Amino acid sequence: MEKLLAQKKLNPRWYERFPRGLPIGIFSLTMAVALLSVFAIENAEDSRQTAQIAQTAQAVASGLERRSNANAAYLRSSAALFATQQMVEAPLFRTFIKQLHLDGRYVGSDGIGWTMKIYRDDIPTVEAIMRSGAAPQFAVRPTPEPGRPFVLPVMFLEPDSVRNRRAIGFDMYSESVRRAAMKAAERSGQPTATGHVVLQQEGRPDGPPGFLVFMPVYSLGADESARKLRGFVYSPFNAQRFLESSIDTGHLDGAGVRLYDLDTRGQTLLAEVSPAQVSGQVNRRPIDIAGHRFLLEIEAPATPLFTTMSVMTLLFGLLVATLLLVLARILTEQAAEDRIALAWFEQQSSIRNSLTRELNHRVKNTLANVLSIISLTRRRATSLPEFADSLEGRIRALSATHDLLTRSDWGTTPISLVIRAELAPYAQDEHRHLVIEGPEVDLAPNDALSLGLAIHELATNAAKYGALSVENGRVFVEWEMAGEDLARIEWLERGGPLIDPEQQRKRGFGTELIEKIVAHELRHPVDLRFEPEGVRCVLLIPVRRRSDFTMRQGRS
């Protein structure tokens, strides 16, 4: 070792030649790697957010189109029925709409209505018929301008509510946006949506924006080219409610949604779900609702300058760089390295000395236990075979506990392992019932040895005279913490031969060992009772911290 240290002093390593440049170079290189990692993480996060916004846009667009298609299906079915009727009357209309079971599920619309084509000369007659029915205030409004041959007023609108009654009698054909959509629907024969309008249900011209979807109804005839328009089945939509009913705001994760009307005037905002924070990062997607073009805009929620992962990576890189800098600095100090090597050798020598002292101490303790057992067994034995059998069983019990301590490196040993090791010969017999329960509690080596001896004596006694000597006998071994540093173990026998209170069993070596030697080793009294139903034994065992019985190293 001395030659090795001398050689290191004569031949300094390469990192000793650059005591300042090497640590700074390592620190710079590590931080560069950390910054590159942060850059990659941020790029990946931006890509993930872009993909997530695109996915959200697709989901919202699908929801809007799904709502629109569901409404178009209801309008088509209504138009097919009304085309077979000579006159669409209020009872028929209300009954059919109720049969659609749309109560509370108008897919974002304000309902379903009927506008009938009425020629100018028939307006007074139709008004009189409607007033005599369920609409006493019915009147076509506004008054058609001179030269227009017909009107298309709202005749019915379900559900019947105060809001929807505001639209009854309104001439849809009098307004240019509605008229353009109705003409397009008449030409195509398909549901057609208007652009931005204010619904009559709002009750004011500056109300929130909305739109309508018209489905034409024709009179049936043999020649399709000669079919005549009878009116329109339509659905009014409040744009904001339509948007909110078509999306799940809980899955937006703070993103914003805007719906625009695309027409010749540009784009007009119809509805909006505001983002949690404005970010400026948007995804635009055109959608088609009943033949009309709308623009869907999704705005991503605002994100911090750096993600949590980037901040953690940067801090970790800084920490690693600092540690490497310190380590490089330490490596340049040859003298410190020599002192560490010498201290290590001294420590190993101290550990060997402690191991020798500890081994000597434990061997003496074991021999003392064996001598005590031999002495008491000899005094109680009446013959040599009895002496040999009793001594062998107790030495084996001591050996079994020693095996457990050896497997745990003479550290702490769980109570359950000590008890199960001593009761293993009796647990294999299916006619003998053992109940072993208790929490996980670890014992010091000497306390585990004392517990093993006590359990062995109790089990031997039970097998000869007690509960383990009959098929119906049961032995309960349960333990619990009786304090912060004290465990209480109870041995209870039931179902064995009854014990005559006046003629208790002869108190042999087992009883004396438990009440004297075990109690002395555990430093707590043992409560051993021969009850008529069976033996009851309560042991109190100290639960010590590992530092109370482990070797103390480095004392020198």
Side-chain angles (χ1 to χ4, degrees), residues 248-271:
D248 185 359
T249 56
H251 289 80
L252 291 179
D253 295 330
V257 182
R258 300 182 184 91
L259 182 65
Y260 293 92
D261 172 31
L262 295 180
D263 54 20
T264 56
R265 295 171 294 179
Q267 61 184 38
T268 304
L269 179 63
L270 297 181

Side-chain angles (χ1 to χ4, degrees), residues 26-198:
I26 293 177
F27 180 85
S28 302
L29 181 61
T30 306
M31 287 305 299
V33 173
L35 292 175
L36 287 175
S37 300
V38 170
F39 179 76
I41 292 173
E42 289 299 317
N43 275 348
E45 180 65 20
D46 291 342
S47 300
R48 186 196 65 80
Q49 189 173 32
T50 301
Q52 184 177 2
I53 292 302
Q55 183 179 4
T56 302
Q58 178 62 38
V60 173
S62 299
L64 295 175
E65 292 174 350
R66 187 165 53 251
R67 289 285 188 179
S68 172
N69 293 337
N71 179 263
Y74 291 131
L75 294 182
R76 285 192 177 94
S77 63
S78 303
L81 174 66
F82 298 157
T84 63
Q85 306 296 318
Q86 291 184 351
M87 178 67 66
V88 179
E89 298 179 347
L92 172 65
F93 181 82
R94 293 192 177 97
T95 300
F96 176 72
I97 297 302
K98 289 181 179 180
Q99 291 300 317
L100 292 178
H101 300 291
L102 297 179
D103 295 339
R105 297 185 294 109
Y106 281 91
V107 292
S109 71
D110 281 0
I112 297 179
W114 164 247
T115 66
M116 186 173 71
K117 184 177 181 180
I118 304 174
Y119 287 96
R120 190 183 189 94
D121 296 337
D122 296 332
I123 292 178
T125 301
V126 173
E127 289 179 338
I129 294 174
M130 293 295 293
R131 289 170 184 169
S132 64
Q137 304 297 327
F138 182 86
V140 176
R141 66 180 197 281
T143 302
E145 62 271 15
R148 184 148 66 88
F150 63 88
V151 293
L152 282 162
V154 178
M155 307 297 291
F156 315 113
L157 181 58
E158 289 292 327
D160 185 18
S161 63
V162 175
R163 172 182 169 82
N164 282 342
R165 288 179 196 145
R166 297 172 184 165
I168 301 299
F170 177 72
D171 179 16
M172 293 286 191
Y173 214 69
S174 64
E175 195 270 323
S176 60
V177 177
R178 294 175 173 84
R179 183 168 59 247
M182 298 171 85
K183 288 182 177 179
E186 183 180 5
R187 289 192 301 269
S188 64
Q190 300 294 327
T192 304
T194 68
H196 164 246
V197 298
V198 176

